[in-house]
Structure formats: structure tokens, C-alpha cells
Amino acid sequence: MLKLYQFERTWGIPNLSHFCCKMETYLRMAGIEYEIKPAFPLSAPKGKLPYIEDDGKILGDSGFIILHLKTKYKDLDQELNAVELAHSLAMQRLLEEHLFWTTMYSRWQYTDANWQVNKEAIFGRMTPIIRNIAAAYYRRKIQQQIHGHGIGRHSAEEVFALGMRDLDALSVFLGNKKYFLGNQPTTLDASAFGILVNTLRCPIESPLKEYALAKNNLIEYVDRTMTDYYPDLLTA
Ligand SMILES: N[C@@H](CCC(=O)N[C@@H](CS)C(=O)NCC(=O)O)C(=O)O
């Protein structure tokens, strides 16, 4: 069976990693069987989670993994036309290459309270000495990535204003549809759910989260997807 390597579950959401959550959501939406293997980025082929092992083949990066799944198992986008595919790609880029970074800023850089919550969730299971060394190493590394991306060079107010514009666009694009491109889930939904659930249903506080929580259609979308695809994670 396909093995999905990702962070341990926490916070009552599928995964604190946006991309691990995207990956698992694609698998569930496509009805592909898998087993979860808890992992850390150090063991990943490209140094980032998620990655998979399928028939002895190891593959990193959610985008490349989904290409593999589309060929071998099921293509969630097979009914989309060329314009819808173009919109799907553009929206995934907005989610994964822009909005994602504003949420990373919230976790790794914005306030000490958020950092403590993030640190506990990722490193809390390690022994105290290893935990502090690993957390300090990764915090520095991720802050360098945030700076390298460019978003980390702005003030907090500017970062969140940028993320809010993404949320506006997503909310308008979704409108009152069930999924982003109609009645059936597509790859864009796996991506959107992964990033949105990590924006508005995780214990990381920021003006961005507050703004997202005022978008009723985004909240309903996230909660509906959670109910439809992760009933096992919902408490009674
Ligand atoms: N483009 C990658 C992004 C994956 C990614 O950013 N993973 C993060 C967790 S959300 C990670 O493992 N970061 C560790 C690091 O950068 O060292 C994908 O689509 O899978």
C-alpha cells in the first residue's frame, strides 16, 4: 500500500503542514488507499514533507506526487477544460506560493505566543535538549526562507494585508459553489483545503486568521470538507 510520510497529526486538523494536508486530502478525495508514516523533513528526499513511497518508488513534493497519482490511480481534474485547468493552476500558485508564506510568517516570526504553540506542535515530542536545538535550527532556517521569499521584508501589517487580498480573491472565486471548480472536488480543492484549514482552524492567532474567520463561505467550505473527508477526526 502507498505510504504517506508526514508530520504527526495535531491541532484537530489533518496536518499542521499545509502541503501534507493537501497531499492526504487528494488521496482521500480520489479514494486511494494509503497508510501514514510519521516523519520529519530530514528524512525526505527533497528535505521537505510530504513524500510518498509507492511500489518501492520514493517521491517528494506534493505537485510531483499528484502527477504520479493522476497517472497511476485517479485524476481528479479529468473533467476540467483548458480554461478551468488554467484557473486551477493560477489559484494553486496563489495559495501555495503566496498565502502559504503569510501563514508561515504568522507561525515562525509574528509573535512569541504563536511561536511557542508552533514549537510545541512540531518539536514537543522530542527530548528537551534535542527539542530546543532542533526548534532553534528550524526557526532560523524557516525565517531565512520567509526572508528569501521576500514577504519577510515587509511589516506585519503589510504581510497580513497581502494575505487578506488572497483571501478576498479566494472567497470571491469560490462564491456559493460547493468546490472551487463546481460540484466535484479537484486538485485545487486539495490545495485550498490544505492551506485554508491551516489558516482558519489552527491555534495560530493573527489579523489574517481573524479576517479569514469573517469569510462565511471559506469557513463553510473548510468545515464541509472536513466533515466529508475527515469524519474520523471530528469529535462527537
Ligand atoms: N513544494 C513542496 C512544499 C513542501 C513544504 O514546504 N513542506 C514544508 C512543511 S509545510 C517542509 O517540509 N519544510 C521543511 C524545510 O523547509 O526544511 C510541496 O508541494 O510538497
Side-chain angles (χ1 to χ4, degrees), residues 52-63:
I52 63 157
E53 192 180 334
D54 190 21
D55 269 339
K57 188 172 172 179
I58 293 182
L59 262 178
D61 191 282
S62 65

Side-chain angles (χ1 to χ4, degrees), residues 7 16-20 22 41 47-50 60-63 96-97 100 104 138 141-142 145:
F7 290 103
L16 59 60
S17 153
H18 315 58
F19 292 97
C20 294
K22 170 191 171 189
K48 284 183 188 271
L49 295 176
D61 191 282
S62 65
E96 298 178 16
E97 308 296 343
F100 165 74
M104 291 295 273
Y138 272 101
K141 187 175 176 192
I142 302 293
Q145 292 177 5

Side-chain angles (χ1 to χ4, degrees), residues 34-76:
Y34 64 96
E35 63 180 292
I36 291 176
K37 297 279 181 193
F40 217 70
L42 272 184
S43 67
K46 294 184 178 177
K48 284 183 188 271
L49 295 176
Y51 70 99
I52 63 157
E53 192 180 334
D54 190 21
D55 269 339
K57 188 172 172 179
I58 293 182
L59 262 178
D61 191 282
S62 65
F64 287 120
I65 297 168
I66 287 175
L67 284 179
H68 166 77
L69 300 179
K70 284 181 169 186
T71 314
K72 184 167 172 189
Y73 298 96
K74 182 165 178 181
D75 182 355
L76 288 179

Side-chain angles (χ1 to χ4, degrees), residues 61-122:
D61 191 282
S62 65
F64 287 120
I65 297 168
I66 287 175
L67 284 179
H68 166 77
L69 300 179
K70 284 181 169 186
T71 314
K72 184 167 172 189
Y73 298 96
K74 182 165 178 181
D75 182 355
L76 288 179
D77 302 333
Q78 61 190 356
E79 304 296 331
L80 301 182
N81 63 36
V83 173
E84 289 168 329
L85 285 169
H87 284 152
S88 171
L89 184 67
M91 280 290 167
Q92 285 177 67
R93 296 293 188 252
L94 174 148
L95 286 153
E96 298 178 16
E97 308 296 343
H98 195 263
L99 180 58
F100 165 74
W101 287 106
T102 68
T103 66
M104 291 295 273
Y105 174 85
S106 307
R107 292 178 185 195
W108 296 84
Q109 198 161 318
Y110 178 48
T111 59
D112 188 57
N114 281 355
W115 163 240
Q116 294 305 331
V117 173
N118 189 42
K119 180 180 170 186
E120 177 60 27
I122 300 176

